[in-house]
Amino acid sequence: KCIANKEYQPYVSMITATSQREHSLDKFLDLEDKINNEFLCKNKITVSWCDILNKWCVTDGCHRLAILLKKNITLIKKEWIIT
């Protein structure tokens, strides 16, 4: 919701509060510009099965998925995923 409305302050607050130095708003916005089929084929979204939740969970790639949703891309291609 915040991403779709370009309200990035909650994201910035979260990465600051959790000391996620590998993340930044600039990196996120740069990633948003790079997202395309070729990029996703090279930088796959990692998922694994969670027995406790009884469903697939994203272990790496939440930002990529959020950007895809912002771009109204809801069908995830098989070649973008690694398990």
Side-chain angles (χ1 to χ4, degrees):
K1 181 179 177 181
C2 293
I3 294 168
N5 296 327
K6 296 187 179 185
E7 295 173 13
Y8 299 114
Q9 190 53 46
Y11 175 70
V12 172
S13 297
M14 185 220 31
I15 60 176
T16 302
T18 56
S19 300
Q20 295 185 46
R21 293 185 182 99
E22 70 277 12
H23 294 285
S24 72
L25 181 56
D26 289 337
K27 287 181 182 178
F28 179 81
L29 295 174
D30 185 50
L31 179 63
E32 190 172 15
D33 291 337
K34 291 180 181 177
I35 292 284
N36 60 33
N37 184 63
E38 182 180 348
F39 179 86
L40 290 166
C41 286
K42 292 179 182 176
N43 299 276
K44 297 184 184 293
I45 297 163
T46 306
V47 297
S48 61
W49 182 256
C50 179
D51 288 328
I52 295 170
L53 299 174
N54 197 34
K55 63 181 176 179
W56 290 96
C57 294
V58 176
T59 55
D60 182 49
C62 290
H63 290 98
R64 284 166 269 169
L65 286 173
I67 292 167
L68 289 172
L69 284 173
K70 180 182 178 192
K71 293 182 174 194
N72 293 318
I73 299 171
T74 57
L75 181 62
I76 306 303
K77 295 183 179 182
K78 187 176 171 181
E79 58 265 22
W80 298 346
I81 301 291
I82 190 167
T83 55

